[in-house]
Amino acid sequence: MFLSACVKMCENFQDVRKIEVVKDSQRVSERLIEILVSAAESVIAEKNAFTVGLSGGSMVDFLCSGFLRREAKVDLTKWKFFFCDERIVPVHHSESTFGTYKRKLLTILPIDEKQFIPVDTSMTPSNAAIDYEEKLRKNFNDRIPVFDVLLLGMGPDGHTCSLFPGHPLLEERERIVAPIEDSPKEPPCRVTFTFPLLNAAKLCVFALAGDSKSDMVARILQNQEDFPAGRVCPLNGTVLWLLDQRAASQLEVTLET
């Protein structure tokens, strides 16, 4: 029943969805770090650990920019990083999400590589998904792992993670991590979190900037059209859409002051 409920679209968006609009992409990156640090301080005080799910695309650049601009140091020793999806390519490949974080984030922050729990991309997509699900359960000790924060992006087609419009994985109810071998976006072979896992999180954050995001943002947030990103609706948490002014240009919202 829990898994089934997780894949449905939100019926009461106002209960879990928040929209925050800031001036530009620089402010998106700064605000993203503020949100993360605030959440981490609260969670670590309670359970002495902080779990974050990472996405590819522009997310790593937002994080790098935000951390570099932050004057106060952040203690990251109790943070643990996972991957909301991953391409089945070698780590040194330009399409590797973990590889990108190794090249960019690990070079500027005092983080031990052991704090990252990567997907084993030496396996087939099917075996890699099974293996990563086992790693998640081992780290969380829960039937459905509950992430403190999931950092999400959205493609121009409304996809998030590797959950694409019209794909059968949108209706997945049993697996929390699933393989995909027919991704409409290259490379075709990937591993992805599914909605039961995404919607179990305490906080999901979409960080989006630029004119290219504005049409889909409006279609999801204003018109409530059914696209994968719009199905992110935590059952016992919040989803925050952190947008710059250009990404929010087609919405009727107020800019942060």
Side-chain angles (χ1 to χ4, degrees):
M1 184 174 180
F2 177 81
L3 295 181
S4 178
C6 279
V7 298
K8 295 179 180 178
M9 289 188 67
C10 294
E11 294 180 359
N12 297 304
F13 285 113
Q14 66 273 17
D15 294 337
V16 299
R17 179 183 285 168
K18 295 181 179 180
I19 302 170
E20 184 174 338
V21 181
V22 297
K23 182 179 179 181
D24 52 28
S25 61
Q26 176 181 316
R27 183 58 186 144
V28 169
S29 65
E30 294 170 346
R31 184 71 183 116
L32 184 63
I33 302 306
E34 292 171 3
I35 292 166
L36 277 173
V37 171
S38 176
E41 289 174 348
S42 175
V43 170
I44 291 171
E46 178 184 342
K47 66 177 186 179
N48 208 36
F50 182 59
T51 54
V52 182
L54 301 170
S55 296
S58 58
M59 186 60 70
V60 65
D61 295 321
F62 283 137
L63 291 173
C64 289
S65 175
F67 275 117
L68 285 172
R69 291 180 178 277
R70 186 177 177 84
E71 294 182 3
K73 292 184 179 180
V74 181
D75 181 2
L76 300 168
T77 56
K78 295 178 181 178
W79 294 34
K80 186 171 283 190
F81 302 93
F82 300 80
F83 292 90
C84 298
D85 70 326
E86 180 59 280
R87 292 85 177 260
I88 302 299
V89 295
V91 175
H92 63 265
H93 194 286
S94 62
E95 291 284 352
S96 169
T97 301
F98 177 45
T100 301
Y101 277 87
K102 282 185 68 174
R103 290 189 299 272
K104 293 186 175 183
L105 199 65
L106 274 170
T107 59
I108 66 168
L109 292 178
I111 304 176
D112 190 318
E113 189 173 325
K114 293 180 181 178
Q115 290 174 248
F116 287 81
I117 311 299
V119 175
D120 187 343
T121 57
S122 69
M123 298 180 172
T124 64
S126 231
N127 288 339
I130 293 170
D131 178 71
Y132 205 58
E133 183 167 323
E134 290 175 353
K135 288 177 179 176
L136 290 180
R137 296 191 193 281
K138 180 179 178 180
N139 276 274
F140 285 85
N141 297 314
D142 292 316
R143 179 168 174 261
I144 304 293
V146 178
F147 275 89
D148 295 314
V149 179
L150 294 179
L151 301 179
L152 304 174
M154 181 190 71
D157 60 352
H159 85 267
T160 190
C161 301
S162 286
L163 298 168
F164 294 90
H167 196 279
L169 281 182
L170 298 185
E171 310 306 325
E172 177 59 51
R173 289 167 170 76
E174 300 301 325
R175 295 173 294 184
I176 60 173
V177 181
I180 175 171
E181 299 187 43
D182 57 352
S183 166
K185 181 180 178 182
E186 293 291 330
C189 294
R190 302 162 176 242
V191 164
T192 184
F193 285 6
T194 60
F195 285 115
L197 182 53
L198 295 176
N199 288 333
K202 295 177 183 177
L203 174 63
C204 297
V205 181
F206 284 95
L208 306 171
D211 295 321
S212 64
K213 304 293 184 180
S214 64
D215 179 66
M216 187 55 65
V217 163
R219 292 178 71 179
I220 291 174
L221 299 183
Q222 198 153 275
N223 302 342
Q224 296 193 20
E225 295 182 44
D226 183 13
F227 289 95
R231 295 193 182 194
V232 176
C233 177
L235 292 181
N236 297 296
T238 301
V239 54
L240 171 65
W241 288 71
L242 178 60
L243 312 169
D244 81 340
Q245 196 168 10
R246 291 190 301 165
S249 61
Q250 297 187 45
L251 294 179
E252 297 176 4
V253 293
T254 303
L255 177 65
E256 173 197 64
T257 58

